[in-house]
Amino acid sequence: PVVPFLSRTGTVLEIKRSSPSKGAIAMGLDPERTAKLYAQAGTQGISVLTERNFFNGSLNDLQIAAKAAPGCSILRKDFLLEEEEIEVSYKFGADAVLLIARILNEEKLLKMAALARKYGMTPFIEVRTESDAEILRHAALEGNVVAGVNSRDLANFHIDPLIPAVFRRELPCRAIFESGVEGP
């Protein structure tokens, strides 16, 4: 059964081995142990990086985390580009999928969001610009979505912590403000 993503206020903690901006972070990470620790700590959701080239993640990590923390909502975090990846995400245990407005045209994003909802998953739509927010508004008219407002510009990795503040009042749905946290 799908666990609703962000059905209550709380944290979304990440399973991530590396990133383009930070390099190796936790190459020896055990996704099962990490997911269990996150669940025991009371997190609402777990974000699992499945992208191999830049983040050293895998669909196996997604499946392991979903089985290890069945009460947590599991987000597949990857650069999803094709509709087929939505079904794959569902089959590997995702409760939500990341759709990045910056890399998907509106038609493709809306199709992928509709397909995610068909499987009972939540489309988690990442925005950073006003044009991204416009696509988010269209997607929200069609059904449940959650917004992710990224403080980090994916083009140059610059972090602007004021970006979430710009969008705070105009988002048509629940939201997570991403990136830019420097400490506890």
Side-chain angles (χ1 to χ4, degrees), residues 103-158:
I103 65 172
L104 295 168
N105 67 46
E106 183 171 351
E107 179 183 359
K108 176 73 93 170
L109 187 142
L110 293 176
K111 282 182 181 177
M112 291 174 76
L115 189 54
R117 285 190 289 268
K118 178 182 166 195
Y119 285 104
M121 296 185 297
T122 302
F124 177 61
I125 300 175
E126 184 174 286
V127 300
R128 182 170 165 82
T129 65
E130 184 53 45
S131 61
D132 296 344
E134 188 62 27
I135 294 171
L136 171 70
R137 285 189 277 279
H138 295 162
L141 290 173
E142 294 185 3
N144 181 43
V145 297
V146 172
V149 182
N150 201 340
S151 298
R152 178 176 288 122
D153 186 334
L154 297 178
N156 59 23
F157 303 117
H158 173 75

Side-chain angles (χ1 to χ4, degrees), residues 13-17 26 28-43 45-48 61 64-66 68-69 72 74:
L13 303 177
E14 202 161 53
I15 292 180
K16 176 160 111 175
R17 288 187 171 82
L29 179 139
D30 176 344
E32 180 179 19
R33 181 176 178 276
T34 303
K36 285 180 177 178
L37 286 172
Y38 287 168
Q40 290 168 2
T43 192
I46 300 173
S47 170
V48 182
D61 288 349
I64 290 169
C72 293
I74 307 295

